[in-house]
């Protein structure tokens, strides 16, 4: 009987355990996570959990306690793995407990970045990656009036939205000349900038922090921008991306780049898999992909490979973000054009007032659809990309074309 150990009990780790059981694996499964308590969903931490005073973490459990008991999945939380012996297929975690494995799955995720210049003994500096971070931030925000957020990616924007909804004044700093510089089109960046400014967020683009100003009480009281401007704050939040948690992979001697290098089945070494945010694929996108959907997909592929089940086909990756009363849905990934290449985008108004979508082509191929309050455009675009169905910008631009009927005729 095989013994499988999964290190990391978030979306990827739990999805993998679930798929292993679904694919017929009846051996021992052990899930280990350093954070105490039942694992929670990550996306709501920057949204509903932060916005609503009376919402508790148990509202966002990924699975209830009974699930692990029913599926005979041993969940060990509040424990860090301190050593792994690859030769003996054994590991030791905190408390000197030892466990053996036949297959090891690294779902160790990624850690929020924080600059080296920031003092580590300051209580009102925050990141947001897991439920412990979220609880700290929520407690700090509830007694604060002013927030400075560093980073104009999804986390920064979602936190800005949540903090404005509970009455904090918010300054948001982004080093790049636009918001969401790595993941969205210029049109979406510009649109969200206007939305946040309308909601009262002060946005500082092409700026960085020159100095963090501390009070005599060992708290941040302000930051000084490279422009010389001083921004006062009660809480300072960094949302400047993540670094893959590769310590165990390094200890195991695995090949590591910006994450643990894996093949198409997410195999990283003999009987060792890496899934979720820590996995670096040298395939089509040649990168790590940070999303719940990729966590679940990589978990499914690894579980299928371990159980010799059919591997799922390559999907269209999707993402979403809730900010204020808006929902942004993205199907596909915007590539980074090479020199002398470019993306073409067409904006299409939706049926609902204020809704729209941005359709992006690269090398004459539809690669990404970004939809604001337009689920039909999102679903149709996702299907077209999934089926690799060619579609011209002129058709999308034509408002007389019904997207649903168009898709029906093309399939």
């Amino acid at each position: 009987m095989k013994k499988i150990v999964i290190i990391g009990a978030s979306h990827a780790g739990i999805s993998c355990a679930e798929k292993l059981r679904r694919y017929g694996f009846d051996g021992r499964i052990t899930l280990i996570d350093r954070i105490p308590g039942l694992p929670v969903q990550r996306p709501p931490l920057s949204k509903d959990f932060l916005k609503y005073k009376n919402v508790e973490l148990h509202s966002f459990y990924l699975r209830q306690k009974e699930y692990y008991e029913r599926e005979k999945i041993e969940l060990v939380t509040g424990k860090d793995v301190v050593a792994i012996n690859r030769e003996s297929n054994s590991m030791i975690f905190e408390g000197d407990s030892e466990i053996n494995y036949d297959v090891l799955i690294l779902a160790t995720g990624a850690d929020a970045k924080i600059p080296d210049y920031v003092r580590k003994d300051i209580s009102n500096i925050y990141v947001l990656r897991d439920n412990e971070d979220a609880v700290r931030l929520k407690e700090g925000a509830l007694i604060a009036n002013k927030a400075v957020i560093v980073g104009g990616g999804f986390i920064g924007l979602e936190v800005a939205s949540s903090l404005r909804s509970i009455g904090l004044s918010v300054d948001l700093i982004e080093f790049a000349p636009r918001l969401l510089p790595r993941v969205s089109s210029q049109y979406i960046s510009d649109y969200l900038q206007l939305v946040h400014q309308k909601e009262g967020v002060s946005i500082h683009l092409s700026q960085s922090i020159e100095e963090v100003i501390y009070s005599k009480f060992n708290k941040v009281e302000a930051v000084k921008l490279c422009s010389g401007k001083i921004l006062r704050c009660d809480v300072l939040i960094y949302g400047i991306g993540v670094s893959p948690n590769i310590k165990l992979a390094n200890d195991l001697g695995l090949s590591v780049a910006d994450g643990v290098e894996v093949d198409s089945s997410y195999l990283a070494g003999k009987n060792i898999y890496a899934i979720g945010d820590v996995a670096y694929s040298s395939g089509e996108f040649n990168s790590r992909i940070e999303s719940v959907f990729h966590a679940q997909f990589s978990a499914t592929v690894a579980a299928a490979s371990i159980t010799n089940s059919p591997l799922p086909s390559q999907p269209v990756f999707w993402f979403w973000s809730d900010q204020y009363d808006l929902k942004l849905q993205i199907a596909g990934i915007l590539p980074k054009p090479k020199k002398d290449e470019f993306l073409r985008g067409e904006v299409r108004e939706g049926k609902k007032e204020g809704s729209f979508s941005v359709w992006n082509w690269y090398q004459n191929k539809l690669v990404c659809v970004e939809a604001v309050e337009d689920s039909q455009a999102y679903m149709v675009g996702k299907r077209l990309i999934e089926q690799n169905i060619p579609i011209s910008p002129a058709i999308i631009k034509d408002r007389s074309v019904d997207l649903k009927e168009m898709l029906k005729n093309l399939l």
Side-chain angles (χ1 to χ4, degrees):
M1 182 183 290
K2 277 187 176 181
K3 292 177 285 189
I4 296 177
V5 172
I6 304 171
I7 303 176
S10 189
H11 293 274
I14 290 175
S15 293
C16 193
E18 183 177 64
K19 294 297 183 183
L20 285 166
R21 288 292 187 236
R22 184 174 296 180
Y23 290 148
F25 178 76
D26 59 2
R28 181 180 178 182
I29 299 176
T30 303
L31 265 171
I32 303 172
D33 200 274
R34 66 170 185 82
I35 299 174
L38 291 177
V40 302
Q41 303 172 51
R42 297 291 178 86
L45 297 180
S46 59
K47 308 177 187 75
D48 287 355
F49 177 72
L50 198 53
K51 281 195 295 188
Y52 301 114
K53 183 177 180 180
N54 297 322
V55 171
E56 302 291 342
L57 280 175
H58 61 73
S59 303
F60 306 114
Y61 286 157
L62 278 163
R63 301 289 185 276
Q64 297 297 323
K65 182 181 177 182
E66 294 74 21
Y67 168 82
Y68 303 100
E69 295 171 350
R70 184 178 69 249
E71 296 298 322
K72 296 180 180 175
I73 297 169
E74 181 185 6
L75 180 64
V76 179
T77 62
K79 301 281 188 180
D80 246 335
V81 174
V82 295
I84 302 177
N85 189 321
R86 196 170 176 181
E87 292 182 3
S88 62
N89 283 6
S90 63
M91 69 179 68
I92 298 173
F93 46 93
E94 287 177 327
D96 292 329
S97 300
E98 186 171 341
I99 188 172
N100 295 315
Y101 65 86
D102 296 302
V103 175
L104 174 63
I105 301 171
L106 299 177
T108 48
D111 298 321
K113 291 180 180 177
I114 193 160
D116 293 336
Y117 62 77
V118 174
R119 284 172 51 183
K120 304 300 186 287
D121 61 333
I122 304 300
S123 62
N124 63 334
I125 296 179
Y126 305 88
V127 294
L128 182 54
R129 185 64 185 169
D130 56 41
N131 49 310
E132 291 182 335
D133 296 332
V135 169
R136 278 193 67 240
L137 176 55
K138 185 172 185 175
E139 290 173 349
L142 287 173
I143 58 173
N145 294 309
K146 296 182 178 182
V148 167
I149 299 171
V150 186
F154 282 128
I155 289 293
L157 294 176
E158 289 171 2
V159 170
S161 166
S162 296
L163 295 186
R164 285 297 299 136
S165 73
I166 60 174
L168 274 72
S169 69
V170 176
D171 284 279
L172 188 142
I173 305 163
E174 170 54 51
F175 180 74
R178 68 181 179 98
L179 300 175
L180 297 174
R182 295 188 302 116
V183 294
S184 81
S185 64
Q186 181 74 52
Y187 193 93
I188 291 293
S189 295
D190 294 343
Y191 172 77
L192 288 177
Q193 180 176 341
L194 290 173
V195 167
H196 279 270
Q197 288 172 329
K198 183 180 177 182
E199 294 291 341
V201 177
S202 296
I203 295 176
H204 310 269
L205 298 176
S206 302
Q207 290 292 318
S208 60
I209 292 179
E210 184 177 279
E211 181 186 359
V212 177
I213 302 169
Y214 302 98
S215 73
K216 62 182 179 180
F217 303 108
N218 284 332
K219 289 198 169 188
V220 175
E221 62 180 14
V223 296
K224 181 180 179 182
L225 302 183
C226 59
S227 65
K229 189 170 186 176
I230 303 288
L231 304 176
R232 300 285 171 185
C233 62
D234 304 309
V235 293
L236 174 60
I237 305 152
Y238 282 90
I240 55 174
V242 297
S243 299
N245 193 332
I246 56 175
K247 181 184 180 303
L248 291 176
N250 274 325
D251 292 346
L252 288 163
L254 301 176
S255 181
V256 170
D258 179 31
V260 183
E261 294 188 354
V262 296
D263 66 11
S264 59
S265 64
Y266 289 87
L267 187 69
K270 185 179 179 183
N271 296 325
I272 301 176
Y273 292 79
I275 60 175
D277 289 358
V278 78
Y280 180 93
S281 171
S282 56
E284 180 181 356
F285 299 107
N286 196 34
S287 65
R288 287 185 310 105
I289 298 176
E290 300 161 14
S291 75
V292 171
F293 178 68
H294 175 253
Q296 295 169 337
F297 172 73
S298 59
T300 301
V301 173
S305 176
I306 292 166
T307 57
N308 294 314
S309 302
L311 296 178
S313 56
Q314 180 70 40
V316 172
F317 289 111
W318 52 264
F319 313 83
W320 85 97
S321 179
D322 296 324
Q323 298 171 40
Y324 307 106
D325 57 350
L326 295 175
K327 180 177 285 293
L328 167 64
Q329 296 170 288
I330 302 175
I333 295 177
L334 283 174
K336 297 175 182 176
K338 298 175 183 176
K339 189 177 180 181
D340 300 327
E341 293 183 329
F342 65 95
L343 288 165
R344 174 171 180 175
E346 289 291 347
V347 180
R348 179 186 172 94
E349 290 184 10
K351 292 182 178 180
K352 188 169 71 172
E353 184 179 353
S355 66
F356 68 92
S357 53
V358 183
W359 299 64
N360 300 280
W361 284 262
Y362 178 58
Q363 296 178 342
N364 296 317
K365 179 181 177 181
L366 181 67
V367 291
C368 179
V369 175
E370 306 159 294
V372 174
E373 292 294 305
D374 193 343
S375 57
Q376 184 183 84
Y378 165 74
M379 293 302 297
V380 170
K382 182 172 180 287
R383 193 75 182 275
L384 290 171
I385 298 169
E386 215 164 46
Q387 302 288 327
N388 200 23
I389 297 172
I391 190 78
S392 74
I395 292 176
I396 296 303
K397 197 173 182 179
D398 186 350
R399 286 289 288 115
S400 68
V401 174
D402 183 275
L403 291 179
K404 200 171 179 181
E405 284 299 314
M406 176 197 74
L407 179 63
K408 185 179 177 182
N409 293 331
L410 289 171
L411 290 176

